[in-house]
């Protein structure tokens, strides 16, 4: 990625300004937006936790995990459009909070935003290090400190652009490995090799150890009591980690205005297949193979602590493919951890740089100061997270515990944050007080339920389903009471949306001058004209209408129309139905591969061709950088962004 950053600078006139570091020039196209969303949302937990849920509850677990975390991305597409429309120059969603409400709500949401990033980062490092330890024998603490090193290096050099390009590479490799796992399990393995063989093994497993709360004790039914409880916890917690994670707003900000909506919908639909098929493959393979001598825990079942630590997938991969399975698992977990960690580094860096440093310490900070601060924050945050992860390891806190607990801590801020962009009536008192009061209610509900259920507040008790369900639901729904209460008690705001439009870009003239370039001719440096702004707003208004109707229909399909009839009927899969279920998953993963793996290459084919030509000319001594005009190199980087209606002539790499 460091090499790619050099290529972009040399052949496409990209200068690492503060705007480019934190927003990628605001010109990324839909294919790369989609792959960036997929990669950012594919945590270690996506692969490891989903397989563990499948191991516990059967075929319902992967679907509950996937659908309960896909709808947030689809719904966020609407929020992404509103952010582009209301605050086109914002760097973080917190800048929007401050522009509307002032200092106190800004500080409250800054705390919730940073806590969200910290929780996600901890899950990534804790889950990834546990897997590295299980597969290689490397000490967990060594893995914790080594995992972020390479991420910090390429993030420092390339910023958000490097993160997005790395997201695509990681997504491409990840999807290929998932396809290999699926085809090995359901087509070519000597141990399994077909959906029919897996089905027979699952029937035998249910006879040996039936699942409590599942219809007939079967692993082959959607009617699972504990699975449904996890479904609710999953939905609530993931609302917080999408709607409060500045990393997703970064992707929306980086997107070209006309590409934000299709990018997020493409990303959401493509991502669904990853946890669904991965867990349906590896979670069920774990159940089917644990009675085989090739399984690492044979003849015993997996200990619950190992399941919570996310070790179902690596154990199943080793049993299925031997050392090759271990290497493949190590690779996909490394990809998931590093890619999503890079997104978290940029998210925290942009918050601390723009919402803390530029807002409260140096309002007149030039581009050099902003870049320097961004670099310092990236390094400091990586060291902080690694050290914090070591503490959690010693305390016995696993990735699974963090995953179900995060909604309790952060979800009370979801509704106030969303209403900031979609409702003019919410006042600053409702915005500031609702998250804090909601957190208090959630903590009380969580801990009181745990005390009542178990009589103690141990890690095992507080991490069980019922206490987590109470805390998560209280966190998400309590603002439904607090927001209207404070809004009507202190008077509706009647906001006119104008102050958000006054958010300014960073001043990078000093960096452009030092590089001997005109800022207007650098990707992301062009200042919009009034006509360009009006055209952009018209496109975004249309996209806003489309996004609201599309995402509502898709959300109902994933949460109600597809799963609920199967849950209510208590249907236990027949062998032909199970075969069809698996076949749909495999077809879907191939669709994801084309959507976020191959489509970005097609979308950027002209730029790739031009860049390869320049590299060849450079190697043969025929390339003269100064002979390329700025306008030629950035033909499609003017905000708006060179849509077909405006007659774009070229594409810019990664846009």
């Amino acid at each position: 990625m460091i090499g790619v950053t050099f290529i972009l600078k040399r052949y496409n006139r990209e200068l690492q300004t503060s705007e480019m570091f934190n927003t990628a020039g605001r010109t990324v196209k839909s294919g790369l937006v989609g792959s960036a969303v997929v990669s950012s949302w594919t945590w270690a937990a996506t692969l490891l936790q989903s397989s563990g849920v499948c191991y516990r509850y059967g075929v319902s677990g992967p679907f509950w995990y996937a659908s309960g975390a896909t709808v947030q991305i689809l719904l966020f597409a609407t929020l992404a459009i509103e952010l582009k429309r209301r605050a086109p120059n914002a760097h973080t969603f917190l800048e929007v909070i401050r522009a509307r409400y002032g200092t106190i709500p800004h500080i409250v949401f800054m705390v919730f935003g940073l806590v969200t990033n910290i929780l996600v980062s901890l899950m990534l490092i804790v889950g990834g290090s546990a897997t590295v330890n299980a597969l290689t024998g490397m000490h967990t603490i060594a893995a914790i400190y080594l995992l972020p090193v390479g991420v910090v290096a390429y993030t420092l050099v390339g910023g958000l652009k490097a993160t997005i390009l790395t997201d695509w590479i990681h997504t491409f490799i990840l999807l290929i490995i998932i396809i290999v796992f699926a085809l090995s399990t359901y087509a070519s393995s000597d141990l399994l090799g077909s959906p029919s063989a897996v089905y027979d093994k699952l029937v035998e497993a249910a006879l040996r150890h039936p699942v409590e709360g599942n219809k007939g004790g079967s692993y082959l039914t959607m009617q699972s009591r504990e699975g449904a409880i996890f479904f609710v916890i999953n939905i609530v917690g993931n609302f917080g980690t999408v709607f409060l994670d500045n990393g997703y707003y970064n992707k929306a900000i980086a997107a070209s205005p006309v590409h934000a909506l299709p990018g997020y919908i493409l990303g959401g639909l493509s991502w669904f297949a990853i946890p669904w098929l991965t867990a349906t493959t590896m979670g069920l393979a774990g159940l089917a193979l644990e009675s085989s001598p090739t399984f690492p825990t044979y003849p015993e079942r997996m200990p619950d602590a190992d399941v919570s630590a996310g070790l179902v997938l690596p154990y199943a991969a080793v049993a299925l493919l031997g050392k090759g399975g271990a290497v493949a698992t190590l690779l996909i977990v490394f990809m998931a951890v590093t890619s999503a960690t890079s997104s978290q580094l940029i998210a925290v860096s942009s918050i601390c740089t723009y919402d803390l440093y530029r807002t409260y310490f140096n309002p007149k900070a030039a581009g050099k100061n902003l870049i320097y601060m961004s670099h310092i924050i990236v390094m400091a945050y990586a060291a902080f997270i690694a050290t914090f992860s070591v503490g959690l390891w010693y305390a016995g806190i696993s990735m699974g515990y963090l995953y179900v607990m995060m909604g309790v801590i952060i979800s009370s801020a979801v509704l106030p944050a969303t209403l900031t962009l979609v409702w003019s009536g919410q006042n600053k008192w409702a915005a500031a007080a609702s998250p804090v009061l909601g957190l208090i209610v959630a903590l009380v509900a969580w801990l009181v339920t745990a005390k009542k259920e178990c009589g103690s507040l141990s890690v095992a008790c507080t991490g069980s389903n019922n206490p987590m369900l109470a805390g998560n639901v209280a966190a998400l729904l309590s603002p439904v009471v607090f927001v209207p209460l404070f809004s009507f008690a202190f008077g509706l705001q009647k906001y006119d949306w104008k102050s958000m439009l006054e958010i300014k870009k960073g001043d990078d003239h000093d960096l452009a001058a030092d590089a001997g370039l005109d800022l207007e001719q650098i990707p992301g440096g062009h200042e919009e004209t009034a006509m360009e702004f009006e055209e952009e707003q018209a496109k975004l208004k249309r996209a806003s209408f489309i996004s609201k109707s599309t995402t509502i229909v898709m959300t109902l399909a994933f949460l109600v129309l597809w799963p609920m009839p199967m849950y209510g009927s208590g249907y236990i899969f027949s062998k032909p139905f199970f075969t069809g279920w698996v076949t749909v998953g495999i077809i879907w993963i191939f669709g994801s591969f084309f959507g976020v793996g191959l489509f970005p290459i097609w979308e950027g084919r002209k730029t790739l061709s031009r860049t390869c030509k320049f590299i060849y000319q450079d190697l043969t001594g025929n390339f003269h950088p100064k002979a390329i005009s700025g306008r030629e190199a950035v033909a499609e980087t003017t905000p708006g962004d060179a849509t077909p209606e405006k007659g774009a002539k070229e594409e810019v790499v990664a846009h």
Side-chain angles (χ1 to χ4, degrees), residues 151-396:
V151 188
V152 170
Y154 74 71
T155 303
L156 284 174
V157 173
L160 184 59
K161 174 64 72 65
T163 296
I164 290 174
L165 291 174
T166 308
D167 287 345
W168 171 75
I169 294 171
H170 287 187
T171 301
F172 192 93
I173 296 171
L174 170 70
L175 289 169
I176 290 175
I177 293 176
I178 293 172
I179 290 170
V180 169
F181 280 160
L183 295 181
S184 296
T185 301
Y186 294 114
S188 64
S189 168
D190 293 334
L191 295 171
L192 297 173
S194 70
S196 176
V198 174
Y199 183 92
D200 292 338
K201 294 278 189 181
L202 294 176
V203 172
E204 294 172 10
L207 294 175
R208 290 195 304 271
H209 35 77
V211 187
E212 185 179 354
N214 279 27
K215 179 70 179 291
S218 175
Y219 288 101
L220 293 159
T221 178
M222 289 291 290
Q223 191 177 94
S224 169
R225 185 185 67 238
E226 296 300 315
I229 292 174
F230 171 80
F231 179 48
V232 176
I233 296 172
N234 192 41
I235 290 175
V236 174
N238 285 316
F239 266 111
T241 51
V242 172
F243 283 65
L244 299 176
D245 183 350
N246 193 53
Y248 293 96
Y249 292 92
N250 282 149
K251 305 297 189 300
I253 290 165
S256 159
V258 295
H259 292 288
L261 174 60
Y264 269 86
I265 291 179
L266 176 65
L269 292 176
S270 297
W271 182 86
F272 175 83
I274 292 175
W276 183 37
L277 185 64
T278 300
T280 299
T281 299
M282 305 310 287
L284 296 183
L287 285 166
L289 293 174
E290 66 181 352
S291 59
S292 167
T294 60
F295 200 76
T297 64
Y298 177 82
E300 303 294 329
R301 296 206 71 199
M302 284 186 66
D304 193 65
D306 285 0
V307 177
S308 183
L311 299 182
V312 173
L313 188 151
Y315 284 0
V318 169
L320 192 67
L321 298 170
K323 289 184 179 179
V327 172
T329 301
L330 195 61
L331 184 58
I332 61 173
V333 169
F334 176 78
M335 293 289 185
V337 170
T338 54
S339 180
T341 300
S342 178
S343 176
Q344 295 304 309
L345 290 173
I346 292 292
V348 172
S349 169
S350 57
I351 289 174
C352 292
T353 300
Y354 289 96
D355 290 285
L356 193 60
Y357 175 69
R358 192 175 77 163
T359 299
Y360 297 110
F361 294 97
N362 189 1
K364 296 182 179 179
K368 286 181 180 178
N369 302 114
L370 297 174
I371 280 283
Y372 176 76
M373 184 56 60
S374 296
H375 288 173
I376 292 295
I377 295 301
V378 165
M379 292 186 289
Y381 181 67
F384 165 75
I385 285 300
T387 305
F388 201 153
S389 298
V390 171
L392 292 179
W393 181 73
Y394 277 114

Side-chain angles (χ1 to χ4, degrees), residues 368-646:
K368 286 181 180 178
N369 302 114
L370 297 174
I371 280 283
Y372 176 76
M373 184 56 60
S374 296
H375 288 173
I376 292 295
I377 295 301
V378 165
M379 292 186 289
Y381 181 67
F384 165 75
I385 285 300
T387 305
F388 201 153
S389 298
V390 171
L392 292 179
W393 181 73
Y394 277 114
I397 303 296
S398 68
M399 175 198 68
Y401 186 92
L402 290 171
Y403 186 85
V404 292
M405 183 266 287
M406 63 188 176
V408 178
I409 307 299
I410 62 177
S411 290
S412 59
V414 169
L415 183 62
T418 304
L419 293 177
T420 297
L421 285 168
V422 300
W423 184 42
S424 62
Q426 180 174 258
N427 60 36
K428 66 178 182 179
W429 303 110
S434 298
V436 178
L437 293 175
L439 172 61
I440 294 171
V441 170
L443 290 174
V444 170
W446 174 38
L447 297 176
V448 167
T449 304
K451 183 71 173 177
K452 185 177 178 181
E453 287 248 325
C454 311
S456 67
L457 295 179
S458 64
V459 171
C461 181
T462 56
S464 59
N465 274 351
N466 287 335
M468 286 298 185
L469 177 66
N472 274 272
V473 171
L476 187 66
L477 297 184
S478 57
V480 173
V481 176
F482 293 132
V483 168
L485 180 65
F486 284 103
S487 293
F488 287 103
F490 291 96
L492 296 177
Q493 186 181 35
K494 298 179 182 178
Y495 182 58
D496 60 9
W497 309 105
K498 291 181 180 178
S499 60
M500 292 182 186
L501 293 171
E502 296 171 2
I503 297 173
K504 303 296 183 185
K505 291 183 178 181
D507 184 358
D508 290 315
H509 285 87
D510 56 335
L511 291 168
D514 288 348
L517 297 171
D518 181 357
L519 189 62
E520 278 284 312
Q521 296 181 346
I522 295 172
H526 173 71
E527 289 293 332
E528 274 185 325
T529 65
M531 182 177 295
E532 287 171 339
F533 176 76
E534 291 301 324
E535 290 178 3
E536 180 181 295
Q537 288 294 306
K539 294 186 182 81
L540 288 171
K541 190 172 182 179
R542 288 197 301 272
S544 177
F545 173 77
I546 295 169
S547 70
K548 288 169 185 172
S549 54
T550 303
T551 55
I552 288 173
V553 170
M554 289 182 178
T555 298
L556 288 174
F558 279 116
L559 297 186
V560 180
L561 300 179
W562 186 350
M564 290 310 167
M566 298 178 68
Y567 181 88
S569 67
Y571 175 64
I572 296 176
F573 290 13
S574 65
K575 188 175 289 187
F577 188 91
F578 177 71
T579 301
W581 184 265
V582 169
T583 302
V584 170
I586 293 173
I587 292 171
W588 201 313
I589 202 74
F590 273 101
S592 299
F593 180 70
F594 284 109
V596 295
L598 299 180
F599 177 59
I601 299 175
W602 172 259
E603 203 173 34
R605 63 195 181 282
K606 292 181 182 177
T607 298
L608 289 170
S609 174
R610 189 185 67 235
T611 303
C612 289
K613 184 179 93 172
F614 288 159
I615 292 173
Y616 174 77
Q617 290 176 347
D618 205 1
L619 292 173
T620 56
N622 297 317
F623 179 72
H624 306 289
K626 295 187 180 297
I628 301 177
S629 69
R631 280 296 175 196
E632 179 187 355
V634 297
E636 281 198 3
T637 62
T638 53
D641 240 310
T643 58
E645 298 95 292
K646 295 172 72 174

Side-chain angles (χ1 to χ4, degrees), residues 114-125:
L114 289 173
V115 168
T116 300
N117 293 126
I118 289 169
L119 284 171
V120 172
S121 302
L122 290 174
M123 268 191 291
L124 293 167
I125 301 300

